[in-house]
Short mmCIF file of all heavy atoms in Angstrom, two decimals:
data_model
loop_
_atom_site.label_atom_id
_atom_site.label_comp_id
_atom_site.label_asym_id
_atom_site.label_seq_id
_atom_site.Cartn_x
_atom_site.Cartn_y
_atom_site.Cartn_z
N LEU A 60 -1.96 -5.28 8.75
CA LEU A 60 -0.68 -4.82 9.28
C LEU A 60 0.33 -5.96 9.37
O LEU A 60 1.50 -5.79 9.02
CB LEU A 60 -0.87 -4.18 10.66
CG LEU A 60 -1.52 -2.80 10.68
CD1 LEU A 60 -1.91 -2.41 12.09
CD2 LEU A 60 -0.59 -1.76 10.07
N LYS A 61 -0.14 -7.11 9.82
CA LYS A 61 0.72 -8.29 9.92
C LYS A 61 1.24 -8.68 8.53
O LYS A 61 2.43 -8.96 8.36
CB LYS A 61 -0.09 -9.45 10.52
CG LYS A 61 0.69 -10.41 11.36
CD LYS A 61 -0.21 -11.48 11.96
CE LYS A 61 -1.24 -10.88 12.89
NZ LYS A 61 -2.14 -11.85 13.51
N GLN A 62 0.34 -8.70 7.56
CA GLN A 62 0.74 -9.05 6.19
C GLN A 62 1.71 -8.03 5.62
O GLN A 62 2.72 -8.40 5.02
CB GLN A 62 -0.48 -9.15 5.29
CG GLN A 62 -1.22 -10.45 5.42
CD GLN A 62 -2.25 -10.57 4.32
OE1 GLN A 62 -3.16 -9.75 4.22
NE2 GLN A 62 -2.11 -11.61 3.51
N ILE A 63 1.40 -6.76 5.78
CA ILE A 63 2.27 -5.71 5.24
C ILE A 63 3.65 -5.80 5.87
O ILE A 63 4.67 -5.69 5.17
CB ILE A 63 1.65 -4.31 5.45
CG1 ILE A 63 0.35 -4.16 4.66
CG2 ILE A 63 2.63 -3.21 5.06
CD1 ILE A 63 -0.50 -2.97 5.05
N ALA A 64 3.70 -6.01 7.17
CA ALA A 64 5.00 -6.14 7.86
C ALA A 64 5.82 -7.27 7.25
O ALA A 64 7.02 -7.12 7.02
CB ALA A 64 4.79 -6.36 9.35
N SER A 65 5.18 -8.39 6.95
CA SER A 65 5.92 -9.51 6.35
C SER A 65 6.28 -9.22 4.89
O SER A 65 7.34 -9.61 4.42
CB SER A 65 5.13 -10.81 6.46
OG SER A 65 4.02 -10.81 5.60
N PHE A 66 5.43 -8.49 4.18
CA PHE A 66 5.70 -8.15 2.78
C PHE A 66 6.87 -7.16 2.65
O PHE A 66 7.55 -7.14 1.64
CB PHE A 66 4.47 -7.53 2.12
CG PHE A 66 3.31 -8.45 1.88
CD1 PHE A 66 2.11 -7.94 1.42
CD2 PHE A 66 3.40 -9.82 2.10
CE1 PHE A 66 1.02 -8.77 1.17
CE2 PHE A 66 2.32 -10.66 1.86
CZ PHE A 66 1.13 -10.13 1.39
N LEU A 67 7.08 -6.33 3.67
CA LEU A 67 8.16 -5.34 3.62
C LEU A 67 9.55 -6.00 3.65
O LEU A 67 10.52 -5.41 3.21
CB LEU A 67 8.06 -4.36 4.79
CG LEU A 67 6.96 -3.30 4.68
CD1 LEU A 67 6.84 -2.53 5.97
CD2 LEU A 67 7.23 -2.36 3.51
N LYS A 68 9.61 -7.21 4.18
CA LYS A 68 10.89 -7.93 4.27
C LYS A 68 11.96 -7.06 4.92
O LYS A 68 13.09 -6.94 4.45
CB LYS A 68 11.33 -8.42 2.88
CG LYS A 68 10.37 -9.43 2.29
CD LYS A 68 10.72 -9.79 0.87
CE LYS A 68 9.75 -10.75 0.24
NZ LYS A 68 8.42 -10.33 0.06
N SER A 69 11.58 -6.44 6.00
CA SER A 69 12.46 -5.53 6.74
C SER A 69 12.68 -6.08 8.15
O SER A 69 11.75 -6.62 8.75
CB SER A 69 11.80 -4.16 6.81
OG SER A 69 12.44 -3.34 7.76
N PRO A 70 13.88 -5.91 8.68
CA PRO A 70 14.09 -6.33 10.06
C PRO A 70 13.34 -5.44 11.06
O PRO A 70 13.13 -5.83 12.20
CB PRO A 70 15.61 -6.23 10.24
CG PRO A 70 16.06 -5.28 9.19
CD PRO A 70 15.09 -5.39 8.06
N THR A 71 12.94 -4.25 10.61
CA THR A 71 12.23 -3.30 11.48
C THR A 71 10.97 -2.79 10.81
O THR A 71 10.83 -1.59 10.53
CB THR A 71 13.15 -2.11 11.84
OG1 THR A 71 13.58 -1.50 10.60
CG2 THR A 71 14.36 -2.54 12.65
N PRO A 72 10.00 -3.67 10.54
CA PRO A 72 8.82 -3.21 9.78
C PRO A 72 8.01 -2.15 10.50
O PRO A 72 7.46 -1.25 9.84
CB PRO A 72 8.00 -4.49 9.59
CG PRO A 72 8.44 -5.41 10.67
CD PRO A 72 9.88 -5.07 10.91
N TRP A 73 7.92 -2.21 11.83
CA TRP A 73 7.10 -1.21 12.54
C TRP A 73 7.74 0.16 12.44
O TRP A 73 7.06 1.16 12.33
CB TRP A 73 6.87 -1.63 13.99
CG TRP A 73 6.30 -3.00 14.06
CD1 TRP A 73 6.87 -4.11 14.65
CD2 TRP A 73 5.09 -3.47 13.45
NE1 TRP A 73 6.08 -5.21 14.44
CE2 TRP A 73 4.98 -4.86 13.71
CE3 TRP A 73 4.09 -2.87 12.70
CZ2 TRP A 73 3.92 -5.63 13.27
CZ3 TRP A 73 3.03 -3.64 12.25
CH2 TRP A 73 2.96 -5.00 12.53
N LYS A 74 9.08 0.21 12.44
CA LYS A 74 9.79 1.47 12.27
C LYS A 74 9.54 2.03 10.86
O LYS A 74 9.43 3.23 10.67
CB LYS A 74 11.28 1.27 12.51
CG LYS A 74 12.08 2.54 12.49
CD LYS A 74 13.53 2.28 12.85
CE LYS A 74 14.28 3.60 12.88
NZ LYS A 74 15.67 3.41 13.23
N ASP A 75 9.45 1.14 9.88
CA ASP A 75 9.20 1.55 8.50
C ASP A 75 7.77 2.04 8.30
O ASP A 75 7.52 2.89 7.45
CB ASP A 75 9.45 0.40 7.53
CG ASP A 75 10.90 -0.07 7.54
OD1 ASP A 75 11.78 0.69 7.99
OD2 ASP A 75 11.14 -1.20 7.09
N MET A 76 6.83 1.49 9.08
CA MET A 76 5.40 1.76 8.86
C MET A 76 4.82 2.85 9.76
O MET A 76 3.80 3.44 9.42
CB MET A 76 4.59 0.49 9.08
CG MET A 76 4.86 -0.59 8.05
SD MET A 76 4.16 -2.19 8.48
CE MET A 76 2.46 -1.82 8.74
N LEU A 77 5.45 3.07 10.93
CA LEU A 77 4.85 3.99 11.89
C LEU A 77 5.82 5.10 12.28
O LEU A 77 7.02 4.87 12.41
CB LEU A 77 4.44 3.23 13.15
CG LEU A 77 3.44 2.09 12.93
CD1 LEU A 77 3.27 1.27 14.19
CD2 LEU A 77 2.12 2.63 12.45
N VAL A 78 5.28 6.29 12.48
CA VAL A 78 6.10 7.44 12.85
C VAL A 78 6.75 7.20 14.21
O VAL A 78 7.92 7.46 14.40
CB VAL A 78 5.25 8.74 12.86
CG1 VAL A 78 6.05 9.89 13.41
CG2 VAL A 78 4.75 9.05 11.46
N ASN A 79 5.99 6.70 15.15
CA ASN A 79 6.51 6.44 16.49
C ASN A 79 6.29 4.96 16.79
O ASN A 79 5.18 4.55 17.08
CB ASN A 79 5.78 7.32 17.51
CG ASN A 79 6.27 7.09 18.92
OD1 ASN A 79 7.12 6.26 19.17
ND2 ASN A 79 5.70 7.84 19.85
N ASP A 80 7.36 4.17 16.73
CA ASP A 80 7.21 2.73 16.90
C ASP A 80 7.52 2.25 18.31
O ASP A 80 7.68 1.07 18.56
CB ASP A 80 8.04 1.96 15.87
CG ASP A 80 9.53 2.14 16.08
OD1 ASP A 80 9.93 3.16 16.66
OD2 ASP A 80 10.29 1.25 15.67
N LYS A 81 7.62 3.18 19.27
CA LYS A 81 7.88 2.79 20.66
C LYS A 81 6.76 1.89 21.17
O LYS A 81 5.58 2.10 20.89
CB LYS A 81 7.97 4.02 21.56
CG LYS A 81 9.17 4.88 21.27
CD LYS A 81 9.17 6.10 22.17
CE LYS A 81 10.25 7.05 21.71
NZ LYS A 81 10.09 8.37 22.25
N ASP A 82 7.13 0.87 21.90
CA ASP A 82 6.18 -0.06 22.52
C ASP A 82 5.33 -0.83 21.51
O ASP A 82 4.26 -1.31 21.86
CB ASP A 82 5.26 0.67 23.51
CG ASP A 82 6.04 1.43 24.58
OD1 ASP A 82 7.08 0.90 25.02
OD2 ASP A 82 5.61 2.52 24.94
N ILE A 83 5.77 -0.90 20.27
CA ILE A 83 5.01 -1.66 19.27
C ILE A 83 5.85 -2.86 18.86
O ILE A 83 6.90 -2.72 18.25
CB ILE A 83 4.66 -0.79 18.05
CG1 ILE A 83 3.77 0.37 18.50
CG2 ILE A 83 3.98 -1.64 16.98
CD1 ILE A 83 3.46 1.37 17.43
N GLY A 84 5.35 -4.03 19.23
CA GLY A 84 6.09 -5.24 18.93
C GLY A 84 5.37 -6.16 17.97
O GLY A 84 5.94 -7.14 17.49
N ASN A 85 4.09 -5.86 17.71
CA ASN A 85 3.33 -6.75 16.82
C ASN A 85 2.17 -5.98 16.18
O ASN A 85 1.94 -4.81 16.49
CB ASN A 85 2.82 -7.98 17.59
CG ASN A 85 1.94 -7.59 18.77
OD1 ASN A 85 1.02 -6.79 18.64
ND2 ASN A 85 2.22 -8.17 19.93
N ALA A 86 1.45 -6.67 15.33
CA ALA A 86 0.35 -6.04 14.59
C ALA A 86 -0.76 -5.57 15.51
O ALA A 86 -1.36 -4.51 15.27
CB ALA A 86 -0.20 -7.01 13.55
N GLN A 87 -1.06 -6.32 16.54
CA GLN A 87 -2.13 -5.94 17.46
C GLN A 87 -1.79 -4.62 18.16
O GLN A 87 -2.64 -3.74 18.27
CB GLN A 87 -2.37 -7.05 18.49
CG GLN A 87 -3.58 -6.83 19.36
CD GLN A 87 -4.90 -6.79 18.59
OE1 GLN A 87 -5.07 -7.52 17.61
NE2 GLN A 87 -5.81 -5.95 19.00
N ASP A 88 -0.53 -4.48 18.62
CA ASP A 88 -0.09 -3.23 19.25
C ASP A 88 -0.21 -2.07 18.25
O ASP A 88 -0.70 -0.99 18.58
CB ASP A 88 1.36 -3.32 19.71
CG ASP A 88 1.57 -4.30 20.86
OD1 ASP A 88 0.58 -4.69 21.51
OD2 ASP A 88 2.73 -4.67 21.10
N ALA A 89 0.26 -2.31 17.02
CA ALA A 89 0.22 -1.27 15.99
C ALA A 89 -1.22 -0.85 15.70
O ALA A 89 -1.53 0.34 15.58
CB ALA A 89 0.91 -1.76 14.72
N PHE A 90 -2.12 -1.83 15.60
CA PHE A 90 -3.52 -1.55 15.32
C PHE A 90 -4.14 -0.70 16.43
O PHE A 90 -4.85 0.28 16.15
CB PHE A 90 -4.29 -2.86 15.16
CG PHE A 90 -5.74 -2.67 14.84
CD1 PHE A 90 -6.14 -2.12 13.63
CD2 PHE A 90 -6.71 -3.05 15.75
CE1 PHE A 90 -7.48 -1.95 13.34
CE2 PHE A 90 -8.06 -2.88 15.47
CZ PHE A 90 -8.44 -2.32 14.27
N GLN A 91 -3.84 -1.03 17.68
CA GLN A 91 -4.38 -0.26 18.81
C GLN A 91 -3.89 1.19 18.78
O GLN A 91 -4.65 2.11 19.02
CB GLN A 91 -4.02 -0.94 20.14
CG GLN A 91 -4.69 -2.28 20.36
CD GLN A 91 -6.20 -2.21 20.24
OE1 GLN A 91 -6.86 -1.29 20.72
NE2 GLN A 91 -6.77 -3.21 19.58
N VAL A 92 -2.61 1.37 18.46
CA VAL A 92 -2.05 2.72 18.38
C VAL A 92 -2.69 3.50 17.23
O VAL A 92 -3.07 4.66 17.39
CB VAL A 92 -0.50 2.65 18.20
CG1 VAL A 92 0.07 4.00 17.80
CG2 VAL A 92 0.15 2.17 19.48
N LEU A 93 -2.84 2.85 16.07
CA LEU A 93 -3.42 3.53 14.91
C LEU A 93 -4.89 3.86 15.09
O LEU A 93 -5.37 4.85 14.52
CB LEU A 93 -3.21 2.70 13.64
CG LEU A 93 -1.78 2.65 13.12
CD1 LEU A 93 -1.67 1.65 11.97
CD2 LEU A 93 -1.31 4.03 12.69
N LYS A 94 -5.61 3.06 15.87
CA LYS A 94 -7.02 3.39 16.14
C LYS A 94 -7.11 4.72 16.87
O LYS A 94 -8.02 5.51 16.62
CB LYS A 94 -7.67 2.29 16.99
CG LYS A 94 -8.17 1.15 16.18
CD LYS A 94 -9.11 0.18 16.88
CE LYS A 94 -9.08 0.10 18.36
NZ LYS A 94 -9.86 -1.02 18.91
N GLN A 95 -6.16 4.98 17.76
CA GLN A 95 -6.16 6.22 18.53
C GLN A 95 -5.56 7.39 17.73
O GLN A 95 -6.04 8.51 17.82
CB GLN A 95 -5.34 6.05 19.82
CG GLN A 95 -5.84 4.93 20.72
CD GLN A 95 -7.27 5.16 21.18
OE1 GLN A 95 -7.63 6.26 21.59
NE2 GLN A 95 -8.09 4.13 21.09
N LYS A 96 -4.49 7.09 16.96
CA LYS A 96 -3.78 8.14 16.22
C LYS A 96 -3.45 7.66 14.81
O LYS A 96 -2.32 7.24 14.56
CB LYS A 96 -2.50 8.52 16.95
CG LYS A 96 -2.73 9.14 18.30
CD LYS A 96 -1.41 9.52 18.93
CE LYS A 96 -1.66 10.11 20.31
NZ LYS A 96 -0.41 10.47 20.97
N PRO A 97 -4.40 7.72 13.89
CA PRO A 97 -4.15 7.21 12.53
C PRO A 97 -3.03 7.93 11.79
O PRO A 97 -2.44 7.39 10.88
CB PRO A 97 -5.49 7.39 11.82
CG PRO A 97 -6.34 8.20 12.70
CD PRO A 97 -5.75 8.21 14.06
N ASP A 98 -2.73 9.18 12.22
CA ASP A 98 -1.68 9.93 11.53
C ASP A 98 -0.28 9.40 11.82
O ASP A 98 0.70 9.87 11.24
CB ASP A 98 -1.78 11.42 11.84
CG ASP A 98 -1.72 11.72 13.32
OD1 ASP A 98 -2.20 10.89 14.12
OD2 ASP A 98 -1.21 12.80 13.68
N LEU A 99 -0.15 8.38 12.69
CA LEU A 99 1.15 7.78 12.95
C LEU A 99 1.57 6.80 11.85
O LEU A 99 2.71 6.38 11.79
CB LEU A 99 1.17 7.05 14.30
CG LEU A 99 1.07 7.95 15.54
CD1 LEU A 99 1.11 7.11 16.81
CD2 LEU A 99 2.17 9.00 15.55
N LEU A 100 0.63 6.46 10.96
CA LEU A 100 0.96 5.60 9.83
C LEU A 100 1.79 6.40 8.84
O LEU A 100 1.40 7.49 8.42
CB LEU A 100 -0.31 5.09 9.15
CG LEU A 100 -0.14 4.06 8.05
CD1 LEU A 100 0.40 2.75 8.62
CD2 LEU A 100 -1.47 3.81 7.36
N LYS A 101 2.97 5.88 8.47
CA LYS A 101 3.85 6.56 7.51
C LYS A 101 3.34 6.30 6.11
O LYS A 101 3.50 5.22 5.56
CB LYS A 101 5.28 6.04 7.62
CG LYS A 101 6.08 6.58 8.76
CD LYS A 101 7.52 6.10 8.63
CE LYS A 101 8.32 6.43 9.85
NZ LYS A 101 9.68 5.86 9.78
N CYS A 102 2.72 7.31 5.54
CA CYS A 102 2.23 7.19 4.18
C CYS A 102 3.21 7.87 3.24
O CYS A 102 3.83 8.84 3.63
CB CYS A 102 0.86 7.86 4.06
SG CYS A 102 -0.42 7.02 5.01
N PRO A 103 3.36 7.36 2.04
CA PRO A 103 2.60 6.30 1.40
C PRO A 103 3.17 4.91 1.70
O PRO A 103 4.37 4.74 1.88
CB PRO A 103 2.76 6.61 -0.08
CG PRO A 103 4.13 7.23 -0.18
CD PRO A 103 4.29 8.01 1.10
N ILE A 104 2.27 3.96 1.74
CA ILE A 104 2.62 2.54 1.75
C ILE A 104 1.86 1.93 0.58
O ILE A 104 0.66 2.12 0.46
CB ILE A 104 2.21 1.84 3.06
CG1 ILE A 104 2.92 2.46 4.26
CG2 ILE A 104 2.50 0.34 2.97
CD1 ILE A 104 2.45 1.93 5.60
N VAL A 105 2.58 1.24 -0.30
CA VAL A 105 1.96 0.59 -1.45
C VAL A 105 2.12 -0.92 -1.27
O VAL A 105 3.22 -1.40 -1.01
CB VAL A 105 2.59 1.05 -2.78
CG1 VAL A 105 1.94 0.33 -3.96
CG2 VAL A 105 2.44 2.55 -2.94
N VAL A 106 1.00 -1.63 -1.42
CA VAL A 106 1.00 -3.08 -1.22
C VAL A 106 0.50 -3.77 -2.49
O VAL A 106 -0.54 -3.41 -3.03
CB VAL A 106 0.08 -3.48 -0.04
CG1 VAL A 106 0.14 -4.99 0.19
CG2 VAL A 106 0.46 -2.72 1.22
N ASP A 107 1.27 -4.74 -2.95
CA ASP A 107 0.87 -5.61 -4.04
C ASP A 107 0.49 -6.94 -3.40
O ASP A 107 1.36 -7.76 -3.07
CB ASP A 107 2.01 -5.79 -5.05
CG ASP A 107 1.62 -6.62 -6.26
OD1 ASP A 107 0.68 -7.43 -6.15
OD2 ASP A 107 2.27 -6.45 -7.31
N TRP A 108 -0.79 -7.14 -3.16
CA TRP A 108 -1.28 -8.31 -2.43
C TRP A 108 -1.00 -9.61 -3.19
O TRP A 108 -0.67 -10.63 -2.60
CB TRP A 108 -2.77 -8.18 -2.12
CG TRP A 108 -3.10 -6.96 -1.34
CD1 TRP A 108 -3.65 -5.80 -1.82
CD2 TRP A 108 -2.87 -6.73 0.05
NE1 TRP A 108 -3.78 -4.88 -0.81
CE2 TRP A 108 -3.32 -5.43 0.36
CE3 TRP A 108 -2.33 -7.50 1.08
CZ2 TRP A 108 -3.25 -4.88 1.63
CZ3 TRP A 108 -2.26 -6.96 2.36
CH2 TRP A 108 -2.72 -5.67 2.63
#
Side-chain angles (χ1 to χ4, degrees):
L60 287 168
K61 212 178 297 181
Q62 280 190 299
I63 295 166
S65 71
F66 290 173
L67 285 172
K68 296 173 182 64
S69 166
T71 57
W73 307 118
K74 186 175 183 179
D75 297 341
M76 293 169 55
L77 302 171
V78 173
N79 179 358
D80 67 334
K81 293 178 189 164
D82 304 322
I83 297 174
N85 59 48
Q87 188 63 36
D88 293 344
F90 181 67
Q91 293 305 319
V92 167
L93 288 173
K94 276 194 338 190
Q95 302 300 314
K96 296 182 181 179
D98 57 328
L99 292 181
L100 187 66
K101 281 187 189 175
C102 294
I104 298 173
V105 179
V106 183
D107 184 335
W108 302 103

